[in-house]
Amino acid sequence: MAGKNLKCMACGSKVAAELQNLFDTRFGIDNVWNICRCVDCGMEQTCPLPSPGELKKLYEEYYNFGGEKGTRYTRLRERFLTSSLYRIWLGMDGDVSFHKKQGSGRLLDIGCNEGRGLKIYQRNGFEAEGLEPNEKASAVACEHGFKVHTEPLEQFKPARPYDVCVLSNVLEHSLDPKQMLSHVRRILKPGGQIWVSCPNSQSRLRFLFGRYWINWHVPFHITHFSEKTLRYVLEDSGFAIERTKNITPGLWVAHSILSFLFARPGSVNRCLRSPLLVASLMLVIRFVFFPILWLGNLSGRGDCLVVVGKKSADYADYTD
Ligand SMILES: [Zn+2]
């Protein structure tokens, strides 16, 4: 892996190694990475950084966007996501993708993949569009009748600004999160909202599972935000925080357990793709361990950070 990230992506200070020799516990990419921590602001990031070219190749090889269509599994998933059972599940397990939020106005789902979220946002009252540079994934979303933009965010110039931009488990994938946020600010209306969710690097599960915590997700997760560092980069990028919340989805706990039990360096962890195993674990976690997860969320040690921010009026935007 080329490139060194000796500086913090949030504040520019020095970083020091925090956790060493992490491996990819999902796809079996044969390499190791470290997690470094900023000596000033505490932001954590993956070291060394993959270059943009390396990252593009890794996504093409390991993320099979649009590869699975019309199978029994995809039909079942589709029916589940549009059912009232899904809304009940979100009520119990937590909504890390803003699928329960009702409203109106123009919404852009950044990194919309195959557009599963777009259908839900549209049903909830929004005029939903997507931004997805992966053309295979965006083609699937377009087949369902959605407008999906494929240019990179930094080159994207919408005809009209948006009321809401959604970054659901996306910001941590960016090689430059502050630049990403400045472009989100650019395409929002005055007072427009940003909805962000991402893993919480100070979660209890991070300390419980150590290097097997599923949300290290090296090398695809570049930055590892805590509530404090996420707040810092959002405020520094011209957003005022309106609400923050912690959620611990059963799926993420199940994946950390399966990572701890079955991940081996250089091997694909097939257990993560076993719907029966994952669903059974999720149900046990949700119904047996809910008091522990609930307390973790209340104390700010949940696995996912969910933040709603608003474009600040008193902020000097960069001009080209
Ligand atoms: Zn820093």
Side-chain angles (χ1 to χ4, degrees), residues 174-185:
S174 171
L175 282 165
D176 191 343
K178 283 177 78 174
Q179 188 201 48
M180 178 175 245
L181 291 173
S182 74
H183 285 287
V184 171
R185 191 182 147 82

Side-chain angles (χ1 to χ4, degrees), residues 8 11 38 41:
C8 168
C11 75
C38 172
C41 75

Side-chain angles (χ1 to χ4, degrees), residues 9 46 48 55 69 85 90 105 113 117 138 141 209 220 228 245 255 287 319:
M9 276 191 260
T46 296
L55 206 52
K69 278 192 286 186
L85 191 62
L90 286 181
N113 291 343
S138 63
F209 290 103
F220 297 98
K228 182 180 155 220
K245 195 176 172 182
H255 276 173
F287 293 106
T319 47

